[in-house]
Amino acid sequence: MQDNRRNFIKKSASLAAALSIGGTTSAMANHLISKEKPNKLKAFARDAGLKFALAMSPDSPRVPFAKQIDVRHAVSGIIKTANLKPWEPEAIKATKAAWDKEGIKWTVVEGPPSLGEQTKLALSGRDEEIANFITFMKNLKQYGGVDVICYNWMPVISWARTTMDRPGRGGALVTSFDNDDIKNKPLTKYGEVSKEAMWKNLEYFLKAVVPEAEKIGMNLSLHPDDPQVHSIQGISRIMNTVENFDRMLKLVPSKYSGLTMCQGNFSLMGTDIPALIRRWGKAGKINFVHFRNVQDLSGVLPSTKFTETFHDEGQIDMHAAMQAYYDIGFKGTIRPDHVPTMHGEENTRPGYMNLGTLYAIGYMRGLAESIAKANAKA
């Protein structure tokens, strides 16, 4: 019994000594480490200086999500108010007040009011519609504090998909397009509309509005055709190639006439997205970004068959794209676009459900932070 007790005490003493030595060694190591200069980072901007945003209205269920994930900018239309036109000051003031109440900065209007078939197809009432658009620009800048308007040149048939529930990764649902499914559809009531007519109407619009945009500092941001096919039901599409965008920018040259870098559509035109970001970015033509990924399924350009994807799996090098925005010093609004519908969600708004959007923001933030920190090392 005594021998056992003596052995226990001896072993305990040895263990204590070992622990003491280990503790001392550990302390010494920590002491040595503390003298080493840590790999400090210089100050770096949150989200690489980009204005991360969501497309939503002030009463959207997305607003609480935006606050929780620290997305403090909104891409929004005008709140509908009884007896008010959306270009009138009080309608714009009401929208801004609603965003101010939420603590979210309203930075971009997509799909502006008073820009429809009359202007794009040169129909009766075009000049009145353009006049209202100019009024909207002025009031939006003065009373809304917004200086980017994202518009498109797709009359009658705008954003179009032929499938809203294509199975994607892990059973998520994505949107897709196949021109074969619609190429034999009948003409619309407007009949055949040529590319020449579309160009003529676009030039008429730009000559009227760009000088007014210059006076107030409003950035006009043209979105590419989506899908970027040459025509749908007889209505030609002209903003479907990079070359055509270069042509548009030369129609009425101005620092306030630019574009929306919708990565998916430009990629489906066959361009290298990071290279295009650098080219147009250095020229000051990118006013707004749709950060999105796609996969061509047609093998032709512009693509006639494609599918949306998760942000991390399509044909675009998204890290290189984010690096390009950083390199050109872009500080404007960027939002995720066209996300999959994920498990547990009803596919009520294909391309715009919440879980995929939240995933996209997390992915974007990871890219932005990694790039900003890599460039901020001492």
Side-chain angles (χ1 to χ4, degrees), residues 121 154-162 177-195 198 227 229-237:
L121 296 178
M154 298 180 283
V156 188
I157 302 168
S158 184
W159 182 80
R161 295 292 183 269
T162 54
F177 177 81
D178 187 343
N179 197 53
D180 287 342
D181 293 340
I182 64 167
K183 64 182 181 181
N184 294 322
K185 281 193 171 185
L187 301 179
T188 72
K189 66 180 182 178
Y190 300 102
E192 294 278 358
V193 181
S194 70
K195 287 184 179 291
M198 294 290 285
V229 292
H230 288 298
S231 69
I232 295 181
Q233 293 182 253
I235 299 177
S236 294
R237 297 193 163 214

Side-chain angles (χ1 to χ4, degrees), residues 92-338:
I92 293 169
K93 288 179 183 178
T95 304
K96 184 180 186 303
W99 281 120
D100 289 347
K101 182 179 179 181
E102 297 295 345
I104 293 176
K105 174 66 176 174
W106 182 25
T107 57
V108 178
V109 165
E110 279 193 67
S114 194
L115 181 56
E117 275 64 59
Q118 283 82 0
T119 300
K120 296 174 186 178
L121 296 178
L123 303 177
S124 175
R126 170 171 65 169
D127 289 338
E128 180 182 357
E129 190 171 75
I130 290 175
N132 289 334
F133 182 90
I134 292 171
T135 298
F136 176 68
M137 283 198 306
K138 293 177 178 178
N139 289 337
L140 182 66
K141 182 68 181 289
Q142 181 176 354
Y143 301 109
V146 175
D147 63 359
V148 177
I149 295 176
C150 174
Y151 69 105
N152 67 66
W153 210 250
M154 298 180 283
V156 188
I157 302 168
S158 184
W159 182 80
R161 295 292 183 269
T162 54
T163 303
M164 296 295 189
D165 56 357
R166 177 188 173 94
R169 187 172 70 191
L173 303 178
V174 296
T175 68
S176 63
F177 177 81
D178 187 343
N179 197 53
D180 287 342
D181 293 340
I182 64 167
K183 64 182 181 181
N184 294 322
K185 281 193 171 185
L187 301 179
T188 72
K189 66 180 182 178
Y190 300 102
E192 294 278 358
V193 181
S194 70
K195 287 184 179 291
E196 290 73 19
M198 294 290 285
W199 276 111
K200 183 179 179 181
N201 299 342
L202 176 59
E203 184 173 7
Y204 186 94
F205 170 76
L206 291 175
K207 284 183 174 178
V209 302
V210 171
E212 299 300 324
E214 285 185 330
K215 293 176 185 177
I216 61 172
M218 178 60 72
N219 296 288
L220 299 173
S221 189
L222 182 56
H223 189 286
D225 293 339
D226 186 4
Q228 57 294 312
V229 292
H230 288 298
S231 69
I232 295 181
Q233 293 182 253
I235 299 177
S236 294
R237 297 193 163 214
I238 57 173
M239 303 319 303
N240 64 339
T241 69
V242 172
E243 294 74 19
N244 282 0
F245 264 84
D246 287 332
R247 176 180 171 181
M248 179 278 295
L249 293 170
K250 294 175 182 176
L251 287 178
V252 185
S254 169
K255 65 180 290 187
Y256 294 102
S257 179
L259 56 93
T260 295
M261 174 54 73
C262 186
Q263 297 182 168
N265 291 118
F266 285 117
S267 176
L268 293 167
M269 296 174 195
T271 190
D272 180 298
I273 292 301
L276 190 63
I277 292 168
R278 288 187 170 88
R279 178 162 77 84
W280 277 338
K282 289 176 182 177
K285 296 304 179 183
I286 300 176
N287 295 328
F288 177 37
V289 175
H290 282 180
F291 200 76
R292 127 183 195 243
N293 213 342
V294 294
Q295 185 62 54
D296 171 58
L297 302 174
S298 68
V300 300
L301 299 174
S303 176
T304 58
K305 182 179 181 181
F306 61 87
T307 185
E308 306 282 358
T309 68
F310 279 96
H311 278 61
D312 62 351
E313 65 168 343
Q315 66 189 38
I316 302 170
D317 185 334
M318 302 293 262
H319 182 274
M322 189 66 79
Q323 181 71 59
Y325 293 121
Y326 184 91
D327 291 345
I328 65 172
F330 181 69
K331 304 297 182 185
T333 302
I334 182 170
R335 75 166 180 86
D337 199 18
H338 298 186

